[in-house]
Amino acid sequence: MKTRILGAALGIAALSGLLVASPAQAFDGAASARVKPSGRDGGGSVRASVHFVNPKKVVFRNFTVRDICPGDNLPVRARVAWKHTDGTNGHGVWKWDRNGCGDHGTNFGNITRTGSKSISRVYLEVQVKTRSGQWVYSISARRYNQYTH
């Protein structure tokens, strides 16, 4: 009797282990950031779905930059950024939402980063320019590369 109960308990524990998220699920996924200059409405946002392909390649799917209304005619820009396993940093080029107050922003499609160094983590950065000419920014939560962690 005790053997059957122990066997059943071990079987349930083993099956439960199969339901735990795999490393790819824990690391890949949505990333987003929003910036709102203090004291006023509006601002900007960026979003993408992060997918690590291997230690040196990551794809940012549906990279979208949005100017958040009300319209203030102030520029909004965003980019992807990463940290290599050797501690050096890198970033992509700025992508601008030039559609004004569109509900959906500007979707730049997929952005792929491939290089000679392994990538440790990535994030998104969004900036909006204030009337005084300063850039206010925000960054997304970091996504870690499951192939290097």
Side-chain angles (χ1 to χ4, degrees), residues 10-21:
L10 289 173
I12 291 170
L15 288 174
S16 297
L18 295 175
L19 300 176
V20 175

Side-chain angles (χ1 to χ4, degrees), residues 8-148:
L10 289 173
I12 291 170
L15 288 174
S16 297
L18 295 175
L19 300 176
V20 175
S22 69
Q25 291 170 328
F27 292 89
D28 291 347
S32 64
R34 180 176 176 173
V35 62
K36 180 179 175 184
S38 63
R40 67 173 235 259
D41 292 330
S45 69
V46 61
R47 71 178 183 274
S49 182
V50 177
H51 297 276
F52 291 100
V53 178
N54 59 46
K56 298 177 182 179
K57 182 177 181 179
V58 60
V59 178
F60 301 86
R61 293 198 170 110
N62 293 313
F63 184 84
T64 303
V65 183
R66 181 174 171 228
D67 186 358
I68 298 173
C69 295
D72 52 17
N73 294 321
L74 295 174
V76 174
R77 65 185 184 180
R79 65 183 177 182
V80 300
W82 55 87
K83 187 171 198 96
H84 293 116
T85 55
D86 68 3
T88 59
N89 297 305
H91 55 79
V93 297
W94 290 110
K95 304 289 186 179
W96 300 75
D97 179 17
R98 301 188 192 279
N99 291 334
C101 284
D103 286 342
H104 303 290
T106 302
N107 185 327
F108 292 93
N110 297 343
I111 297 174
T112 302
R113 165 65 186 154
T114 303
S116 60
K117 295 180 181 181
S118 293
I119 300 167
S120 172
R121 60 186 172 261
V122 299
Y123 58 92
L124 308 177
E125 181 179 1
V126 61
Q127 294 185 344
V128 63
K129 197 169 193 176
T130 64
R131 295 203 186 280
S132 65
Q134 300 296 314
W135 288 96
V136 178
Y137 75 96
S138 180
I139 62 172
S140 70
R142 286 143 179 91
R143 289 284 180 180
Y144 291 85
N145 188 341
Q146 68 266 23
Y147 297 100
T148 59

